[in-house]
Amino acid sequence: MDRTNAGERAFATAPVMDPEAIDFVRFCHRRRRVGWPELYDEMCAVAGRGLYRGYGAEELSSIGIGFGLFQMPALAGLVAQVVAEDIERRRRSAAALQASLAARETDLLTVAVADTADEMTSSTRRIEPEPVDTGKPDHGALRIAVGAGA
């Protein structure tokens, strides 16, 4: 959109919104994780039924949420801000979860390797070779009885 053919209102910065207005948009976005046009329909439905703290369209307009044509640019900007924050929050949560799972997997692998090493050292025993049958009789060692004083 070019400033020459659009009104200045289209390019005006969004006013600072009431935290309760931001909370209303978050509430609607959590109900249906959709973008701007669909979320507008959800917000109208929530306002019509008074699902957000019993607020109707009049109460919502007092906190800065307007559903009229001239309030739509500000509402669309607020929705874009809330959706972007939600996407960023979910991205950070996913990254933290992945890091946590990777650390846990590393810890479990370290414990498993240590346990395996302990088992290998504790179960190590000397294995004696078995005698080989050569076909000749084995007379064994000669034993001679000797007297105690001899």
Side-chain angles (χ1 to χ4, degrees):
M1 202 180 259
D2 186 17
R3 284 189 186 271
T4 58
N5 63 2
E8 286 300 313
R9 200 176 339 174
F11 293 98
T13 59
V16 177
M17 296 301 286
D18 186 341
E20 203 165 18
I22 294 170
D23 194 40
F24 168 75
V25 175
R26 281 190 186 124
F27 173 82
C28 294
H29 186 253
R30 286 183 185 131
R31 285 176 48 94
R32 285 191 64 209
R33 296 204 185 274
V34 292
W36 165 241
E38 295 86 9
L39 192 55
Y40 176 79
D41 294 339
E42 179 66 19
M43 290 188 293
C44 290
V46 167
R49 295 184 185 107
L51 298 176
Y52 176 75
R53 299 182 184 175
Y55 287 15
E58 296 82 24
E59 292 87 4
L60 289 170
S61 68
S62 71
I63 62 170
I65 300 291
F67 297 107
L69 183 61
F70 294 112
Q71 292 99 9
M72 226 176 263
L75 188 57
L78 179 61
V79 166
Q81 173 189 344
V82 168
V83 169
E85 288 172 359
D86 184 57
I87 289 171
E88 178 62 21
R89 181 185 51 82
R90 286 192 284 158
R91 185 196 64 75
R92 283 184 303 199
S93 296
L97 180 62
Q98 286 176 340
S100 173
L101 290 175
R104 183 173 181 217
E105 186 176 308
T106 302
D107 291 345
L108 290 175
L109 185 60
T110 303
V111 168
V113 167
D115 287 346
T116 304
D118 288 344
E119 286 178 13
M120 289 178 69
T121 56
S122 65
S123 65
T124 303
R125 60 185 175 145
R126 183 178 168 108
I127 299 175
E128 297 293 328
E130 293 183 18
V132 178
D133 185 20
T134 59
K136 298 180 182 173
D138 182 23
H139 299 291
L142 293 175
R143 296 184 187 176
I144 303 173
V146 178

